[in-house]
Amino acid sequence: MAGSHARSGGRVAWRHALRQPAQACEDALSDRRLIMSLAQGGWRKAREQIILTGQTDTGKTWHACAFAHQAARIDKSVAYARMPRLFDEMATARLVGRLPRLIDKRVRVQLLVLDDWGTHCLTGQQRLDLPELFEERYQRRSTLLTAQLPVPGWHQKIGEPTIADAVLGRIIHNAHRIELKGDSMRRKSARPGLTRTENPEILIQVE
């Protein structure tokens, strides 16, 4: 994934492929009192986590990017990755003998945003990779996860009970959980001038 660097206050902050425009994302922080409280940044100083859950298009990635942009603006290193893509990167790195370097890169970043957690059941190798990543970050760095799947279903997605306990124990117990509800943000932000149709099947195909 492409990355970019920005210099602020004399040091380099790594901003990694954040998916939403900075100002648009930060505007989304005004939606909820809890999110505004977390926006003060105390959770990062305490090296805690945030878990954003909700149905498709309720704004999980939008809000995650808002937190990420905010951290980057005060010179914190930030990395963004979709979980399926991260697993692909880890598999490729393992083949060429660079997996330890990739994990170290993810461990060192001050805020790691992992989008689309729990979209599929893990393979045996993926289950082995996860504990190393979260063990090294635990109580040292903050992680923000987004998921459509509610937290109680995460254990089953990981699969192996012992590994699931180890991974989730380092994510959930010191995490702020936010469940996003409401209408699709994409529908809300659609331009009013776009052509409409009464056929729901066509709407589904367009999306």
Side-chain angles (χ1 to χ4, degrees):
M1 295 178 66
S4 62
H5 291 77
R7 185 173 297 277
S8 174
R11 64 186 291 260
V12 173
W14 180 51
R15 304 179 184 183
H16 194 69
L18 299 179
R19 295 172 61 183
Q20 305 289 350
Q23 187 57 53
C25 285
E26 288 167 10
D27 290 344
L29 290 178
S30 63
D31 291 345
R32 288 170 171 77
R33 185 177 301 176
L34 173 58
I35 294 178
M36 284 302 296
S37 175
L38 292 171
Q40 303 304 312
W43 66 283
R44 289 194 313 270
K45 296 176 183 178
R47 297 169 179 82
E48 296 169 340
Q49 332 303 329
I50 289 179
I51 298 173
L52 292 166
T53 58
Q55 295 301 310
T56 301
D57 293 346
T58 50
K60 299 183 297 296
T61 300
W62 186 274
H63 285 82
C65 287
F67 282 114
H69 278 294
Q70 182 194 51
R73 287 181 62 178
I74 59 173
D75 204 27
K76 303 297 182 182
S77 56
V78 178
Y80 168 93
R82 292 184 62 250
M83 287 301 300
R85 179 64 180 270
L86 177 60
F87 283 131
D88 288 344
E89 290 181 349
M90 295 174 80
T92 300
R94 188 183 306 105
L95 289 175
V96 297
R98 297 170 64 91
L99 182 59
R101 181 175 179 179
L102 175 62
I103 290 179
D104 181 66
K105 188 177 183 180
R106 292 288 187 257
V107 167
R108 285 186 287 106
V109 72
Q110 290 170 300
L111 174 59
L112 177 61
V113 178
L114 298 178
D115 203 4
D116 290 337
W117 170 275
T119 55
H120 64 283
C121 294
L122 303 187
T123 66
Q125 188 59 59
Q126 290 169 348
R127 280 194 292 268
L128 294 176
D129 291 339
L130 274 183
E132 187 169 358
L133 175 63
F134 288 108
E135 174 66 31
E136 293 300 320
R137 292 188 60 82
Y138 182 59
Q139 295 185 334
R140 297 184 180 94
R141 299 285 189 268
S142 291
T143 304
L144 191 158
L145 298 98
T146 78
Q148 184 171 338
L149 182 70
V151 173
W154 291 11
H155 199 281
Q156 183 177 359
K157 282 291 185 180
I158 294 175
E160 169 59 42
T162 302
I163 295 178
D165 289 343
V167 171
L168 297 182
R170 286 156 179 77
I171 297 174
I172 294 175
H173 95 272
N174 66 341
H176 301 272
R177 300 192 202 181
I178 302 171
E179 182 181 3
L180 300 179
K181 300 180 180 179
D183 296 332
S184 166
M185 289 188 68
R186 292 181 184 178
R187 290 192 180 94
K188 288 180 180 179
S189 61
R191 289 176 295 173
L194 293 177
T195 302
R196 302 290 183 177
T197 177
E198 298 299 323
N199 188 333
E201 294 184 359
I202 294 178
L203 287 175
I204 292 173
Q205 291 173 8
V206 170
E207 294 180 357

